Amino acid sequence: MTKVKDIKFDIKIQNHIWFWGLYFLLNFFRWGAYFNDYEYSFKSNLIEFMLHIPLVYFNLFVLVPRLVLKSKYLQYSLALLASLGCVYILKTGLTYYIISKNIWPEANRDYQPFEINHILAVCIGELYVLAMASSIYLMLTWLKERERNRILTENQYKIKLEYLKTQIQPHFFFNTLNNLYALSLEDSEKVPDVIIKLSLLMEYVLYDIEGTKLTPLLKEFDYIQNYIEIEKLRFENATVFINLESNIDNINVPPLLLISLIENAFKHGGINNHELTIKINCKIINNTTLDFEIINNFVLSQNESSKRGIGLTNTKERLQLLYKNNYQLSHQIKFNFYIIRLQIPISNED
């Protein structure tokens, strides 16, 4: 699982350097070729970029978070105008005293400082650079933030999924320990068999599927078989048929997804120790769908008042997280038989 704390979302310093460097070269060659005076272009762009860069970062890291994000738009407008005024004074003064008395040669006539056209030209130029650089930075920041939110959502999904999986494990072990306790009170010779089966269940849960997204369906059936054997020790009158109608050698499923359906059949079918028959059908449909069906007999009047465990609720939540709406879970009662059927997309992932 990706750790959120290991992910860095800041735009690297070298990327800032690359941006300003390439932008400087573009302006240098553009205006140098325009006037055929590369020396002037280099000097003027050097002065401009010495002012562009602080203005852009002052806007991004001071004005925007302190004023725009707090809906102080009037204060932001005044601060931006003041910043542009400072930039104009510095640019004009540096150009006049360092480069040329002609502060705006691009206009093809001599301009004096603080003429309205020159002020507008400088301010519009600064706003253009400010808007372009800020747009690029904010777009990249938005993309990074979107990726961060995606990872956070994915991690929340994984945490929820792991929670549901770990929630169901103690549920089964609790039931099994109850079975073991009941048998021990009877001084039953079956206790050692139950302990062995329980150890196999715990080995599967604690080691075989730890941290795994999918597990081979064959291993899942081994786990199911051990669970059934434990339940059959408790319900001596239980008969379980497993019918595998397809080859499942290369099929993988989320671990512990199917077991709650079987647990439900024992829980509601084995009330008052009446004769219990469970049939499990498993097949692959069109090489795309795993069809898992459980049929068990039950007594309607008894089941109407029985409490519902966490198993099926847990299974439904996991199915929704894993497959969204790309699954089918249905159940029906027919002639005192309870039929539950699950269909999920098959996976051949390792």
Side-chain angles (χ1 to χ4, degrees):
M1 182 185 298
T2 304
K3 295 182 180 179
V4 177
K5 65 179 181 180
D6 294 336
I7 302 168
K8 298 185 182 297
F9 296 97
D10 294 332
I11 299 174
K12 295 180 180 179
I13 297 295
Q14 55 263 39
N15 292 332
H16 291 265
I17 296 173
W18 273 108
F19 170 77
W20 290 114
L22 291 174
Y23 189 29
F24 178 87
L25 288 176
L26 175 65
N27 266 15
F28 164 67
F29 285 112
R30 176 192 174 196
W31 291 110
Y34 189 81
F35 291 105
N36 198 25
D37 187 349
Y38 289 95
E39 182 181 356
Y40 169 78
S41 179
F42 178 80
K43 292 178 180 179
S44 63
N45 275 291
L46 190 61
I47 289 175
E48 288 183 355
F49 275 79
M50 288 172 56
L51 300 173
H52 290 334
I53 296 172
L55 177 62
V56 167
Y57 292 121
F58 178 68
N59 178 70
L60 284 174
F61 301 130
V62 178
L63 297 185
V64 170
R66 293 188 179 183
L67 299 177
V68 175
L69 297 183
K70 295 181 180 180
S71 302
K72 298 179 179 180
Y73 302 119
L74 178 59
Q75 293 93 321
Y76 172 75
S77 300
L78 294 175
L80 183 60
L81 285 174
S83 302
L84 292 174
C86 292
V87 168
Y88 175 79
I89 293 172
L90 289 172
K91 180 181 183 300
T92 303
L94 291 171
T95 301
Y96 185 86
Y97 290 107
I98 296 177
I99 301 177
S100 170
K101 304 297 181 181
N102 185 1
I103 59 173
W104 194 14
E106 296 92 336
N108 295 321
R109 79 169 181 84
D110 290 336
Y111 269 87
Q112 297 301 313
F114 299 103
E115 289 191 36
I116 187 63
N117 286 340
H118 185 239
I119 293 174
L120 289 175
V122 171
C123 290
I124 290 173
E126 292 300 324
L127 288 174
Y128 167 78
V129 175
L130 184 67
M132 180 189 65
S134 298
S135 297
I136 293 173
Y137 179 82
L138 292 174
M139 180 187 69
L140 292 175
T141 302
W142 176 76
L143 291 173
K144 299 271 185 187
E145 186 65 21
R146 187 179 68 171
E147 176 65 10
R148 178 178 179 275
N149 289 334
R150 185 193 66 80
I151 293 173
L152 286 174
T153 301
E154 181 179 322
N155 283 342
Q156 289 173 349
Y157 154 84
K158 289 179 179 178
I159 290 170
K160 174 68 172 176
L161 203 55
E162 286 298 314
Y163 167 74
L164 290 172
K165 191 171 75 173
T166 55
Q167 182 191 37
I168 207 165
Q169 293 165 13
H171 173 65
F172 284 123
F173 290 137
F174 177 77
N175 288 345
T176 304
L177 288 173
N178 276 342
N179 298 345
L180 183 60
Y181 174 72
L183 291 173
S184 66
L185 291 178
E186 301 172 3
D187 198 22
S188 173
E189 297 178 355
K190 299 175 182 178
V191 171
D193 289 333
V194 176
I195 293 175
I196 291 174
K197 297 296 182 183
L198 179 59
S199 68
L200 291 175
L201 295 181
M202 294 184 68
E203 180 182 11
Y204 179 73
V205 169
L206 296 177
Y207 301 108
D208 293 350
I209 64 172
E210 177 66 23
T212 60
K213 180 180 178 181
L214 296 171
T215 187
L217 184 54
L218 286 174
K219 282 191 175 182
E220 192 75 1
F221 264 104
D222 287 340
Y223 178 81
I224 289 171
Q225 188 65 52
N226 286 328
Y227 176 81
I228 290 173
E229 291 302 319
I230 287 178
E231 290 287 43
K232 287 174 70 175
L233 291 173
R234 185 162 69 107
F235 297 104
E236 295 182 352
N237 57 349
T239 304
V240 181
F241 301 96
I242 299 179
N243 180 30
L244 298 178
E245 300 180 20
S246 307
N247 184 355
I248 60 171
D249 289 349
N250 299 317
I251 304 301
N252 297 299
V253 295
L256 304 180
L257 183 65
L258 307 176
I259 190 68
S260 57
L261 305 182
I262 298 170
E263 188 265 352
N264 187 68
F266 276 102
K267 178 180 179 181
H268 297 295
I271 296 177
N272 292 338
N273 290 322
H274 74 279
E275 185 175 345
L276 172 63
T277 301
I278 300 174
K279 184 175 182 181
I280 301 171
N281 298 316
C282 181
K283 63 182 177 181
I284 306 300
I285 301 175
N286 298 328
N287 292 321
T288 60
T289 303
L290 172 66
D291 185 274
F292 189 78
E293 182 183 57
I294 300 179
I295 304 171
N296 65 272
N297 62 324
F298 79 118
V299 178
L300 184 60
S301 60
Q302 294 170 342
N303 278 270
E304 285 177 341
S305 60
S306 64
K307 293 184 179 179
R308 208 174 160 192
I310 67 169
L312 285 180
T313 301
N314 183 297
T315 300
K316 290 176 182 177
E317 289 188 49
R318 289 186 68 197
L319 286 168
Q320 188 63 34
L321 286 172
L322 287 165
Y323 301 108
K324 304 300 181 183
N325 294 317
N326 190 26
Y327 74 93
Q328 290 185 6
L329 180 63
S330 60
H331 57 90
Q332 62 174 317
I333 298 173
K334 189 174 182 180
F335 303 117
N336 277 357
F337 284 93
Y338 184 80
I339 304 170
I340 187 166
R341 186 177 186 184
L342 172 64
Q343 291 184 329
I344 57 174
I346 64 171
S347 175
N348 302 106
E349 299 179 18
D350 295 329

